[in-house]
Structures are given as structure tokens and as C-alpha cells.
């Protein structure tokens, strides 16, 4: 495995996965200092050879999906790696890479699919999270996967209803429909 890919995996997966959603103070700055250049290289297709193995594909997805959200939080650029992350995750799942990594690592592939504003990708992610349940061995894995299943169902409902995630509209410069306006009164946008 590429040493840089290994560094990404260690940095991201040696922490509590709740930090993926609720970043502790200083994490974004640390990520920018340590991995900002790699995120840019991943977005410029310079790390595409990483998809050749499970860990490399995983590291590439993490850079494009998770790290992009942290580094560009609060701007449209937070979603700038989504399309490529979804493509890499799709290829990884097609190759069975998600079955060759840990439960938490597999969930990173599925989260990248869930970020796509595509109903079929959302349904696929939801089904993949469900299929991950039998692999859970620890309480932490069970809790994480149960949360992911519930979240994915909510995402699928949004995609089915709106065809996109209304919580992204403001950052992406999209005009809300009336139905989206009503939805957003109860659902605050998540920055990551």
C-alpha cells in the first residue's frame, strides 16, 4: 500500500467515527495541514492508481468524501469531491473491497454512495449498510451501523421526495421549492 494512503487510513480510522460527523476543535486545521495537498491531488486524478487495492481505494474515498467535507466546511467545495468519491466507492464495492476491510472502513465506502444526490445510490447505500449488520462484532460497530441504517433511510426519503438534498441548496446556490422550504424549517443543514 502507498505510504500516503496508509497515513490517511491511520489518521481517519484510529479515531472514534463520531468524530467524522462531529469534528473536535482543531481537527479541520490539522487535516488541512497534513492532508490538504493530498485532497487536491485526489481531486486532480493524480492518485487514481490507489483504487487498485482495498486500502488504497478506501484512502482515496476518505480524501474525496470525508476530508473534503472537513476542509471546505460551509462552502460548495465541501461537495466538490462527491462525484469522484461516488465513482471510486462504486468501483470498490463492485470489486468486493468493502468485504476486505473493517466494518467502520466499509461504512466509508457506503457513506460516499449516500452523499450522491441519486436515489439509486442512496438505496444501494442503505442496502449495503443493512448487509453490514451481520459483520458487526462489537457494541460500537452495532451502534454505528444502526445509526447509519437510520440515517440512510432518511436520506433515501429526501431523495425520493425532492430528487436532491435540500439542506445543500443554499451552499450550492440552488433555489428551494416550496416543499423544500417547509422541509428546511424542521431540518437544519449539516455542514459535513
Amino acid at each position: 500500500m502507498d505510504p500516503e494512503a496508509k497515513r490517511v487510513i491511520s489518521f481517519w480510522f484510529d479515531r472514534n467515527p463520531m468524530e467524522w460527523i462531529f469534528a473536535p476543535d482543531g481537527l479541520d486545521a490539522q487535516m488541512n495541514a497534513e492532508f490538504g495537498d493530498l485532497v487536491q491531488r485526489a481531486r486532480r486524478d493524480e492518485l487514481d492508481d490507489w483504487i487498485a487495492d482495498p486500502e488504497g481505494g478506501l484512502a482515496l474515498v476518505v480524501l474525496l468524501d470525508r476530508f473534503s467535507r472537513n476542509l471546505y466546511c460551509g462552502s460548495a467545495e465541501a461537495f466538490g469531491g462527491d462525484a469522484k468519491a461516488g465513482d471510486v466507492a462504486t468501483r470498490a464495492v463492485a470489486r468486493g473491497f468493502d468485504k476486505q476491510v473493517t466494518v467502520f472502513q466499509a461504512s466509508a465506502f457506503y457513506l460516499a454512495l449516500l452523499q450522491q444526490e441519486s436515489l439509486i445510490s442512496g438505496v444501494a447505500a442503505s442496502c449495503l449498510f443493512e448487509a453490514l449488520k451481520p459483520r458487526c462484532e462489537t457494541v460500537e460497530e452495532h451502534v454505528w451501523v444502526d445509526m447509519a441504517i437510520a440515517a440512510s433511510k432518511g436520506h433515501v426519503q429526501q431523495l425520493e421526495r425532492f430528487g436532491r438534498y435540500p439542506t445543500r441548496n443554499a451552499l450550492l446556490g440552488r433555489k428551494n421549492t416550496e416543499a423544500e422550504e417547509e422541509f428546511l424549517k424542521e431540518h437544519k443543514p449539516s455542514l459535513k
Side-chain angles (χ1 to χ4, degrees), residues 65-76:
D65 176 40
R66 309 315 316 165
F67 285 22
S68 287
R69 280 179 163 61
N70 285 70
L71 296 182
Y72 304 109
C73 185
S75 75

Side-chain angles (χ1 to χ4, degrees), residues 24-42:
D25 289 342
L27 180 65
D28 294 353
Q30 181 184 4
M31 289 172 68
N32 190 36
E34 294 185 33
F35 301 101
D37 61 323
L38 280 178
V39 170
Q40 289 306 314
R41 289 182 60 205

Side-chain angles (χ1 to χ4, degrees), residues 8 11 38 50 72 88-89 108 140 148 159 172 178 191:
V8 169
F11 180 86
L38 280 178
W50 287 12
Y72 304 109
V88 172
E140 292 81 9
L159 292 169
L172 295 176
E178 278 186 42
L191 296 178

Side-chain angles (χ1 to χ4, degrees), residues 10-192:
S10 293
F11 180 86
W12 198 240
F13 294 101
D14 287 351
R15 68 183 59 254
N16 183 319
M18 290 307 291
E19 291 182 17
W20 302 354
I21 302 166
F22 305 106
D25 289 342
L27 180 65
D28 294 353
Q30 181 184 4
M31 289 172 68
N32 190 36
E34 294 185 33
F35 301 101
D37 61 323
L38 280 178
V39 170
Q40 289 306 314
R41 289 182 60 205
R43 287 177 168 215
R44 290 190 307 259
D45 305 329
E46 294 174 15
L47 305 177
D48 287 356
D49 59 326
W50 287 12
I51 191 61
D53 62 74
E55 292 81 11
L58 179 63
L60 188 55
V61 164
V62 168
L63 287 172
L64 293 164
D65 176 40
R66 309 315 316 165
F67 285 22
S68 287
R69 280 179 163 61
N70 285 70
L71 296 182
Y72 304 109
C73 185
S75 75
E77 273 304 301
F79 312 110
D82 282 3
K84 185 172 179 70
D87 181 59
V88 172
T90 299
R91 291 173 188 272
V93 170
R95 294 175 182 170
F97 289 176
D98 58 321
K99 295 183 179 38
Q100 299 174 47
V101 296
T102 71
V103 166
F104 289 116
Q105 291 172 342
S107 75
F109 287 127
Y110 309 157
L111 287 170
L113 294 175
L114 195 58
Q115 298 297 350
Q116 308 305 300
E117 288 187 309
S118 157
L119 184 56
I120 191 65
S121 291
V123 169
S126 187
C127 292
L128 288 163
F129 278 121
E130 287 279 358
L132 194 56
K133 276 189 76 76
R135 289 183 52 197
C136 294
E137 296 177 359
T138 67
V139 171
E140 292 81 9
E141 289 173 341
H142 280 285
V143 168
W144 177 257
V145 171
D146 285 342
M147 285 177 30
I149 290 168
S152 66
K153 288 179 181 178
H155 281 68
V156 168
Q157 288 173 348
Q158 282 184 58
L159 292 169
E160 191 172 17
R161 183 172 172 194
F162 305 111
R164 60 188 184 177
Y165 295 125
T167 52
R168 296 181 183 178
N169 288 350
L171 286 178
L172 295 176
R174 301 186 304 209
K175 186 175 164 111
N176 293 328
T177 65
E178 278 186 42
E180 288 172 335
E181 286 287 349
E182 287 302 311
F183 175 83
L184 289 170
K185 288 179 183 175
E186 296 181 25
H187 299 84
K188 300 293 179 212
S190 168
L191 296 178
K192 295 183 181 141

